């Protein structure tokens, strides 16, 4: 049994890791542009299953009504929530050979009512991630990356935040809780600050872009991804909209991380 691990984590997070991209950190010139847009959803909003929290009464007690899965959340205005929109570095010549300062702010992943908040989170490689809990039950946070280091740590009630980071870009990293099989979040890690997650209005803004050619990807955990190319001139603001539809669900590309397939019971303790 170990406790007091948070101190170690804090020490670890202060290590300076080398930037993923060689070259000097980009300095804004005043010519930067902006890309804005929205992500629409076409067709009827799919019905989400109701999550059963019977396995842990502490979780259930925090909710006064049914809690729905967040695999596909369609907003009242017909847009799609929880879409990770970001600049694809490998196909965006405007970012070639440029590196960007890592935000000094921490990204936060909260656990409240045995649900992750937010459901989709973006941050930069090397940026500090604080994992918080507001629950009176033990969580076990378990990101399952492909190219970053996998970790798996329990967080008892009243714990200090876990301080973590991911060293490499990776879109997306599923996060689950080994105690509560319905808990699921996705973390998008990029090595630049040009990313956003759509909220209740389905809109996104990517600011401070060096003028040039970009490929923007909109990634949804269930509906897959879409890309669009756009050229941003000096001080220009461009609009890029994406549309997903219900019949795109279950396409092979999203099979590997379909939250609906998380089994209610798996026999492990
Ligand atoms: Cu949990």
């Amino acid at each position: 049994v170990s406790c007091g691990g948070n101190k170690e984590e804090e020490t670890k997070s202060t290590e300076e890791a080398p930037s993923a991209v060689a070259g000097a950190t980009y300095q804004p010139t005043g010519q930067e542009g902006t890309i804005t847009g929205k992500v629409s959803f076409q067709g009827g909003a799919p019905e989400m299953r109701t999550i059963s929290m019977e396995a842990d009464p502490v979780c259930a007690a925090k909710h006064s009504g049914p809690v729905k899965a967040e695999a596909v959340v369609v907003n009242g205005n017909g847009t799609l929530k929880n879409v990770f929109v970001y600049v694809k570095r490998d196909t965006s010549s405007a970012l070639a050979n440029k590196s960007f300062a890592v935000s000094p702010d921490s990204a936060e992943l909260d656990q409240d009512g045995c649900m992750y908040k937010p459901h989709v989170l973006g941050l930069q490689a090397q940026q500090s991630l604080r994992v918080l809990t507001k629950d009176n039950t033990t969580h076990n946070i378990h990101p399952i990356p492909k190219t970053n280091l996998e970790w798996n740590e329990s967080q008892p009630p009243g714990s200090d935040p876990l301080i973590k980071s991911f060293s490499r870009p990776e879109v997306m990293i599923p996060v689950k809780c080994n105690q509560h099989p319905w808990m699921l979040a996705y973390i998008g890690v990029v090595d630049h600050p040009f990313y956003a997650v759509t909220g209740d209005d389905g809109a996104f803004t990517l600011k401070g872009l060096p003028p040039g050619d970009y490929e923007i990807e909109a990634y949804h955990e269930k509906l897959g991804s879409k890309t669009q190319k756009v050229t941003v001139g000096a001080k220009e603001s461009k609009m890029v909209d994406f549309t997903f539809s219900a019949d795109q669900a279950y396409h092979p590309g999203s099979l590997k991380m379909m939250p609906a397939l998380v089994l209610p019971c798996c026999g492990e303790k």
Side-chain angles (χ1 to χ4, degrees):
V1 178
S2 78
C3 58
N6 295 316
K7 287 261 161 15
E8 282 169 39
E9 291 310 324
E10 273 162 17
T11 312
K12 212 191 284 179
S13 75
T14 58
E15 284 173 18
E16 280 299 312
S19 170
V21 178
T25 301
Y26 181 76
Q27 300 296 329
T29 63
Q31 301 299 304
E32 285 73 22
T34 303
I35 297 174
T36 60
K38 69 176 191 313
V39 182
S40 299
F41 184 81
Q42 217 163 41
E47 183 67 26
M48 290 293 104
R49 73 190 165 92
T50 300
I51 294 170
S52 168
M53 296 190 180
E54 272 173 29
D56 190 337
V58 172
C59 302
K62 266 211 172 178
H63 300 276
S64 52
V67 181
K68 296 286 187 181
E70 297 172 291
V72 180
V73 180
V74 179
N75 296 316
N77 64 355
T79 59
L80 193 56
K81 191 176 176 173
N82 293 329
V83 179
F84 186 67
V85 183
Y86 71 106
V87 171
K88 284 194 91 165
R89 177 186 273 281
D90 52 341
T91 46
S92 292
S93 55
L95 296 192
N97 303 317
K98 292 185 179 72
S99 69
F100 296 86
V102 176
S103 169
D105 300 327
S106 296
E108 286 195 351
L109 182 64
D110 200 1
Q111 298 161 109
D112 190 5
C114 303
M115 296 289 285
Y116 285 117
K117 294 177 182 179
H119 178 63
V120 175
L121 175 70
L123 82 170
Q124 285 175 266
Q126 325 286 358
Q127 185 179 355
S128 174
L129 169 67
R130 284 160 50 91
V131 183
L132 307 139
T133 179
K134 292 190 174 71
D135 292 329
N136 196 25
T137 188
T138 296
H139 291 298
N140 189 290
I141 304 98
H142 185 187
I144 305 156
K146 288 196 168 64
T147 61
N148 282 282
L149 282 179
E150 185 171 345
W151 51 273
N152 182 358
E153 266 183 51
S154 76
Q155 192 174 32
S159 296
D160 288 338
L162 294 176
I163 312 293
K164 296 290 188 179
S165 64
F166 296 98
S167 59
R168 299 190 183 96
E170 184 169 353
V171 177
M172 308 282 288
I173 301 175
V175 181
K176 66 176 192 175
C177 172
N178 289 0
Q179 298 296 323
H180 307 111
W182 63 84
M183 290 181 70
L184 184 65
Y186 289 90
I187 299 181
V189 186
V190 290
D191 60 358
H192 55 69
F194 312 115
Y195 63 89
V197 179
T198 59
D200 294 336
D201 60 358
F204 65 88
T205 301
L206 306 174
K207 282 188 284 196
L209 292 159
D213 299 330
Y214 289 96
E215 186 168 28
I216 310 300
E217 181 167 76
Y219 185 99
H220 186 271
E221 66 189 75
K222 196 90 166 171
L223 305 175
S225 72
K226 290 178 177 296
T227 58
Q228 283 197 57
K229 292 193 167 160
V230 59
T231 300
V232 178
K235 297 182 181 177
E236 196 177 19
S237 184
K238 278 281 178 73
M239 202 174 267
V240 176
D241 291 334
F242 293 91
T243 302
F244 288 85
S245 60
D247 56 19
Q248 284 159 336
Y250 310 111
H251 87 90
S254 66
L255 276 175
K256 56 186 179 293
M257 40 182 81
M258 282 203 316
L261 291 183
V262 171
L263 301 173
C265 167
C266 45
E268 25 179 272
K269 186 87 199 302

